Amino acid sequence: MPTDNPIRRTKDPVEYLSTDHEEAEPGVALCLSGGGYRAMVFHAGVIWRLYESGWLAKLDRVSSVSGGSITAAVLGLAWDRLKADTPTDPALLIEHFVKPIRNLAGETIDAWGIVGGMLLPGTISEKIQASYRKHLFGDATLQDLVDKPRFVINATNVQSGVLWRFSKPYMRDYRVGEVKAPHITLAQAVTASSAFPPVISPMIMELDPTTFTPNSGDDLQREPYTKRVVLSDGGVYDNLGLETAWKRYDTILVSDAGGQLKPEEEPKEDWARHSYRVLNLIDNQVRSLRKRQVIQSYCDKARKGAYWGIRTDIADYQLADSLPCPHDRTLTLAATPTRLKRMDSDLQERLINWGYAVCDAALRKHVDTSLSKGKFPYPNAGV
């Protein structure tokens, strides 16, 4: 049952998604799930199709978690160079958005970050942050993002148990409070959002408590919460990146590149690996519940938009001319491990094609029936 009590609400395993029409204002939001490089590259294909279709320019907000936040931050930093309002030149998208993502996908950063964090000074999350800075963001901060659409990069505050959101106008946790116009680097924000537990998590932010807007927090605006913030992957709290978009806009596009829990005949019984298995079970169930809520809300006309997932069977859209994506092939792509591990060029192109194709089908079926069929970005690769 939903509750209006904010303190009780933080204890709910799956927060209720309100479907009150009066709460949502006209506008379009895109939600990008987590899933490591698999999600980052799949979502790149989604962005490609949205760009070509003209729907990218219609976005009011992009809300992301984990691997989806890598894609979102690259997009937000490149936005003005893409000329999304007049998407006549895909070369701009390829040069300023797709190419940086593919370059990062050609590098393994999680294993080196873990080894470096264990053997060298500094933490694992600091090593990952250094890789993001080196390969993607340099010294860019949240203030280098565009004003519209609003990019919201989500992490989980392990101390307060709720979402910590990074954006250009502010970063906030509704219990701890708000810091306006934060100069946090994009590398730091994305590291927090993609700090997969248990290895990369946590990421620590040391803050000046005086930078918080007075009386902006609910019940935890005090030290140590305002001085040393302990963050984990945004998907821990909201694995589809829904919350900061769902409560605001009436049209929600959800791109889900999350993995699926595989059966294990003999689960590990040592405490570390058994606990990890149980955490994955919880995450899988929460994702399934959120997905059902979203789709039911579309069916009930409480929200407009579409959901598509990396495990979707494109035949379910019942389009006579959907791009050729055999389900057995796309399930193979969906089984790509949730890592920040090097992908070969062929896998990258197939994942981009699949993200593009399933977004194309969802848009033409549920969002904009006037759209013409798209074409694979990499026609020789297929899926």
Side-chain angles (χ1 to χ4, degrees), residues 169-173 176-180 211-214 216-217 221:
Y170 60 80
M171 62 180 181
R172 75 183 301 265
D173 168 324
V176 176
E178 174 182 285
V179 176
K180 292 183 177 178
T211 61
F212 281 79
T213 302
S216 59
Q221 192 168 348

Side-chain angles (χ1 to χ4, degrees), residues 250-279:
D250 65 352
T251 301
I252 308 293
L253 307 177
V254 181
S255 184
D256 181 7
Q260 185 179 55
L261 194 69
K262 296 180 180 179
E264 285 189 4
E265 292 184 354
E266 297 182 4
K268 305 300 181 184
E269 297 182 13
D270 60 277
W271 71 267
R273 287 181 292 179
H274 187 75
S275 296
Y276 183 65
R277 174 71 176 176
V278 171
L279 287 172

Side-chain angles (χ1 to χ4, degrees), residues 2 23 35 89 133 152 169 253 256 265 271 312 332 346 353:
E23 289 185 7
D89 188 0
R133 184 181 296 111
V152 183
L253 307 177
D256 181 7
E265 292 184 354
W271 71 267
T312 297
T332 300
D346 178 67
N353 280 350

Side-chain angles (χ1 to χ4, degrees), residues 10-61:
T10 65
K11 299 178 182 178
D12 293 340
V14 184
E15 184 169 345
Y16 176 77
L17 291 174
S18 172
T19 54
D20 187 341
H21 285 283
E22 295 181 0
E23 289 185 7
E25 63 185 67
V28 184
L30 173 65
C31 301
L32 301 177
S33 80
Y37 278 177
R38 178 188 65 244
M40 176 185 76
V41 178
F42 175 84
H43 294 322
V46 168
I47 298 300
W48 199 320
R49 184 60 184 121
L50 292 173
Y51 177 80
E52 285 185 351
S53 68
W55 273 86
L56 194 67
K58 298 179 182 181
L59 296 180
D60 295 286
R61 178 164 298 194

